[in-house]
Amino acid sequence: MASPRLLFVLSLVAFINGQVVKQTESAIEELEKYIQNKKPEINQRYRLHYHVAAPVGWINDPNGFSYYKGEYHLFYQFYPYDSVWGPMHWGHVTSPDLVNWKWLPTALIPGEEYCFSGSAVVADDTMVLIYTAHIDDGKHVNQSQYLAFSEDGVKFVKYEGNPVIPRSPNGSPDFRDPKAWRHGEYWYVIIGSKTDDGRGRVLLYRSSDLFDWEFLTVLGESDGKLGYMWECPDFFELDGKFVLLMSPQGIEPQGDRYKNLHQTGYIIGSFNYATFEFIPEVEFQELDYGHDFYAAQTTENDGRRYVVGWFNMWEAPHLEETDGWSGAMTIVREMELYENRILMKPVKDMASLREEEGYIAGDWMTNQDLSFDKTAEILFENSLDKNVELLLTGIDGGQKVWLRWSPTTKKVSVDRGNNDVRQVEWVPTENKSWRIFLDASTLELFCGEGEVVFSSRVYPDGGWKVTNLSNQTLNVETFKLKRSIPV
Ligand SMILES: *[C@@H]1O[C@H](CO)[C@@H](O)[C@H](O)[C@H]1NC(C)=O
Ligand SMILES: *[C@@H]1O[C@H](CO)[C@@H](O)[C@H](O)[C@H]1NC(C)=O
Ligand SMILES: *[C@@H]1O[C@H](CO)[C@@H](O)[C@H](O)[C@H]1NC(C)=O
Ligand SMILES: *[C@@H]1O[C@H](CO)[C@@H](O)[C@H](O)[C@H]1NC(C)=O
């Protein structure tokens, strides 16, 4: 009997010999021209220098995060024609190091279907996208799973036999965001959905060829307190445990927790490929405590697990909207399991963005504000016995944000004023440092080894101004960071 892998190759060749429907190349070329013509009209004030963001128009979820032919690929939900959500395309960037990014032509454009979120796998030398086709005929909404192929990682063709998974097992129209991976002889995919009585869940399927899928089991399900829909699931092994990462919608706020409209978090457990049973061992935890983090997706390469999230939140103000664009990705973080939680650290190569010019190190005096152009990295180690308080705003005003540590509550907080606070208890490992990344309209705070991470959009006018309001001397190091994505 031929191996599943070989069968896959044979069938793929058959599709490429005349059975596929091409997304027309001219439509993609025309869209590229539109994007290039539109870019100069964008107001640069909040444009990001080292974060992937909408080239023009709107972006949301990261998609198809993968490694193919020596490069990382990152796609994203994309509507080019306005800076608000619209019929979904897949935009595309690549990177050799997860830090420096290059723009590629739009990978998927909507046809009968809007091209909703999904993932990418590599089957022999072919990159295969599996994504949700969202079809709304005005009466019914239908979500099913489609495939598209690429031999060069640039041009994609949709499979003519789509859909490969036409409906959810219970007929729920919410059936989206397939995340596929390979294990042993099979491909697996998980898909976000809900129960008949409106509880979020994740479904597990298996296939030997990526075309015929068998429904296996419900991998995880809300008990009623974890939301009505689980979007953007991901599932992977991390340091000997299994992690179910997902973005539940509809969790009620509880104290400091779940204050964003929707959450992204994870359940740590064990999984058995013989029984397909995922046994949760640690309750759901948020992955990032900031105001703007959603729909995170991971990929693995060289034994490391990387994650990137959408650096916005649904129904939150995106001030860049009036500038001709909306939406960004966080910097890519490496994940690590530590006791009962995931630590997130900026990928190592982020240090390559540090400019020699403008480097400051030493004690930070009360009467000195630190000023930066659009970008900065700030590092310091503080005593946890005294409070820390930094005020960040624009040199010319604009939005303010306070970063605080309180030795009494043992909480770190990111406060955008007007009661718009996100805070969480921090129990540091040995490392008590803070590492802050500022871009023209973003703030990312990594505490210690990444026990606590906040991603929040902040909109300063002009460059950044940072004021020390602490009751202790902070020994700071600051860097200006280079641009890592072309204008
Ligand atoms: C959804 O649409 C697909 C075509 O994309 C079709 O094959 C499938 O039968 C539809 N499912 C339902 C429940 O209408
Ligand atoms: C920060 O300000 C406080 C009070 O204004 C002062 O006591 C402290 O020494 C300052 N820290 C640094 C690093 O200068
Ligand atoms: C603590 O973490 C910071 C930020 O990642 C790093 O620069 C520093 O070297 C670490 N310190 C120690 C003692 O490991
Ligand atoms: C700093 O210390 C002073 C005097 O002890 C105190 O009045 C003030 O509230 C402290 N500031 C903060 C931010 O805790």
Side-chain angles (χ1 to χ4, degrees):
M1 216 184 111
S3 77
R5 232 169 150 75
L6 181 59
L7 287 175
F8 171 74
V9 177
L10 293 174
S11 49
L12 187 62
V13 169
F15 296 117
I16 285 167
N17 289 338
Q19 285 190 53
V20 284
V21 173
K22 293 222 171 211
Q23 296 195 87
T24 70
E25 281 179 30
S26 65
I28 290 192
E29 271 167 35
E30 228 167 90
L31 174 52
E32 285 326 292
K33 272 189 219 141
Y34 167 85
I35 293 171
Q36 294 318 320
N37 289 336
K38 207 75 188 165
K39 271 188 177 176
E41 293 174 21
I42 286 182
N43 182 336
Q44 294 294 313
R45 62 182 172 157
Y46 299 138
R47 285 299 267 176
L48 300 171
H49 293 224
Y50 60 93
H51 289 83
V52 174
V56 301
W58 162 282
I59 75 170
N60 56 283
D61 308 357
N63 295 153
F65 193 21
S66 54
Y67 188 78
Y68 176 62
K69 294 189 175 169
E71 288 203 300
Y72 292 96
H73 288 250
L74 179 63
F75 304 81
Y76 45 82
Q77 291 285 280
F78 180 33
Y79 181 59
Y81 303 109
D82 201 348
S83 44
V84 295
W85 189 91
M88 281 292 118
H89 300 55
W90 276 35
H92 190 188
V93 287
T94 55
S95 173
D97 54 11
L98 297 168
V99 173
N100 292 284
W101 297 95
K102 188 170 94 186
W103 297 107
L104 262 72
T106 303
L108 296 176
I109 56 177
E112 55 175 3
E113 86 294 12
Y114 290 2
C115 306
F116 273 20
S117 288
S119 56
V121 290
V122 178
D124 295 301
D125 253 355
T126 302
M127 182 180 226
V128 182
L129 308 183
I130 177 161
Y131 67 97
T132 296
H134 174 92
I135 300 171
D136 185 350
D137 66 4
K139 283 195 218 114
H140 297 101
V141 171
N142 172 339
Q143 297 186 333
S144 61
Q145 316 315 318
Y146 277 27
L147 299 182
F149 309 113
S150 178
E151 295 303 326
D152 60 2
V154 180
K155 289 181 186 157
F156 291 82
V157 289
K158 294 177 186 173
Y159 170 45
E160 193 187 49
N162 282 328
V164 290
I165 311 181
R167 63 182 58 80
S168 59
N170 66 346
S172 169
D174 289 292
F175 182 49
R176 57 183 175 269
D177 313 334
K179 176 76 203 281
W181 71 96
R182 176 105 187 161
H183 179 83
E185 291 281 278
Y186 292 97
W187 298 98
Y188 292 83
V189 72
I190 49 171
I191 304 176
S193 193
K194 59 169 60 150
T195 62
D196 292 341
D197 63 352
R199 288 174 289 120
R201 66 181 186 177
V202 167
L203 308 165
L204 176 66
Y205 290 75
R206 182 174 78 169
S207 171
S208 55
D209 60 5
L210 288 166
F211 299 101
D212 290 315
W213 291 93
E214 170 197 3
F215 171 61
L216 295 176
T217 191
V218 174
L219 193 70
E221 192 169 275
S222 167
D223 58 2
K225 294 188 199 116
L226 276 185
Y228 56 77
M229 174 66 197
W230 285 6
E231 291 199 308
C232 303
D234 201 333
F235 190 61
F236 49 90
E237 205 174 337
L238 190 65
D239 304 324
K241 291 286 174 189
F242 279 82
V243 176
L244 175 59
L245 171 71
M246 75 286 199
S247 293
Q249 300 184 310
I251 303 186
E252 294 294 323
Q254 290 165 27
D256 289 339
R257 299 277 63 76
Y258 315 139
K259 288 172 84 173
N260 295 336
L261 180 65
H262 302 309
Q263 325 305 326
T264 292
Y266 59 96
I267 296 171
I268 297 169
S270 63
F271 180 71
N272 183 336
Y273 274 103
T275 60
F276 312 121
E277 198 181 3
F278 174 61
I279 302 173
E281 291 168 5
V282 187
E283 278 185 19
F284 181 80
Q285 305 177 68
E286 285 168 283
L287 185 59
D288 183 296
Y289 297 96
H291 296 77
D292 300 283
F293 185 85
Y294 192 64
Q297 193 176 79
T298 75
T299 193
E300 198 239 353
N301 188 41
D302 289 339
R304 298 174 197 276
R305 180 63 58 172
Y306 299 107
V307 64
V308 62
W310 178 38
F311 209 155
N312 291 89
M313 182 48 61
W314 292 110
E315 287 166 50
H318 305 173
L319 295 195
E320 68 269 27
E321 214 174 272
T322 55
D323 296 348
W325 67 285
S326 177
M329 297 294 147
T330 63
I331 58 176
V332 179
R333 297 113 188 241
E334 192 181 329
M335 295 173 129
E336 204 182 301
L337 196 68
Y338 177 75
E339 293 176 351
N340 283 339
R341 60 196 158 155
I342 290 176
L343 309 183
M344 287 198 295
K345 269 190 219 154
V347 292
K348 285 206 178 65
D349 281 352
M350 281 306 293
S352 70
L353 295 184
R354 295 169 174 175
E355 301 253 36
E356 282 177 23
E357 186 200 340
Y359 172 74
I360 301 173
D363 285 358
W364 181 4
M365 305 324 287
T366 330
N367 55 356
Q368 287 181 322
D369 286 335
L370 295 176
S371 303
F372 304 96
D373 203 5
K374 299 280 185 178
T375 66
E377 181 187 346
I378 304 173
L379 275 155
F380 62 87
E381 188 153 336
N382 56 290
S383 154
L384 297 183
D385 301 333
K386 293 183 182 161
N387 84 310
V388 174
E389 180 167 356
L390 302 181
L391 166 62
L392 295 88
T393 188
I395 291 169
D396 305 322
Q399 201 174 2
K400 290 185 171 132
V401 62
W402 288 263
L403 307 185
R404 300 193 183 94
W405 160 255
S406 158
T408 36
T409 61
K410 308 228 179 293
K411 285 178 185 174
V412 180
S413 66
V414 175
D415 179 353
R416 294 196 300 201
N418 303 313
N419 235 348
D420 194 12
V421 187
R422 297 293 179 273
Q423 59 181 5
V424 65
E425 288 195 6
W426 177 31
V427 183
T429 59
E430 312 232 312
N431 193 329
K432 298 178 181 57
S433 70
W434 281 20
R435 192 171 177 195
I436 302 166
F437 285 88
L438 302 176
D439 202 339
S441 53
T442 62
L443 176 142
E444 283 154 295
L445 166 60
F446 297 85
C447 298
E449 297 290 331
E451 298 86 52
V452 163
V453 180
F454 292 86
S455 303
S456 295
R457 297 297 301 275
V458 184
Y459 298 88
D461 289 342
W464 286 97
K465 186 176 79 177
V466 185
T467 308
N468 160 39
L469 303 174
S470 314
N471 273 355
Q472 60 177 310
T473 299
L474 306 176
N475 192 266
V476 295
E477 265 189 295
T478 73
F479 304 86
K480 178 183 157 74
L481 301 182
K482 283 177 218 159
R483 177 176 275 289
S484 71
I485 181 150
V487 177

